[in-house]
Amino acid sequence: MGSAALQCGQSSVEYGVVCAALAFALGVGMLDDSSVLRELLNAFQLAYQKFSFAISLPI
């Protein structure tokens, strides 16, 4: 088999660990409304509202 077979799937594990660490770091201070993760979620929500409004306009 070789070393290539042993490393198969390693990048997905590393990606999962990095994403979990990032989510934990952003979510640590989610107790109040001024946390980074809460602000990010609010920005995504506002951007989606603007996008869906623009899509619904007639041509």
Side-chain angles (χ1 to χ4, degrees):
M1 285 197 149
S3 64
L6 295 175
Q7 293 183 358
C8 184
Q10 180 180 356
S11 62
S12 62
V13 172
E14 291 173 356
Y15 180 74
V17 168
V18 169
C19 286
L22 184 62
F24 178 74
L26 290 175
V28 164
M30 253 186 105
L31 298 176
D32 56 355
D33 287 337
S34 65
S35 71
V36 175
L37 189 56
R38 181 80 60 196
E39 292 292 326
L40 183 64
L41 291 174
N42 287 340
F44 279 132
Q45 182 180 16
L46 181 62
Y48 182 74
Q49 286 174 353
K50 288 181 178 183
F51 174 74
S52 62
F53 174 75
I55 290 292
S56 69
L57 292 175
I59 296 176

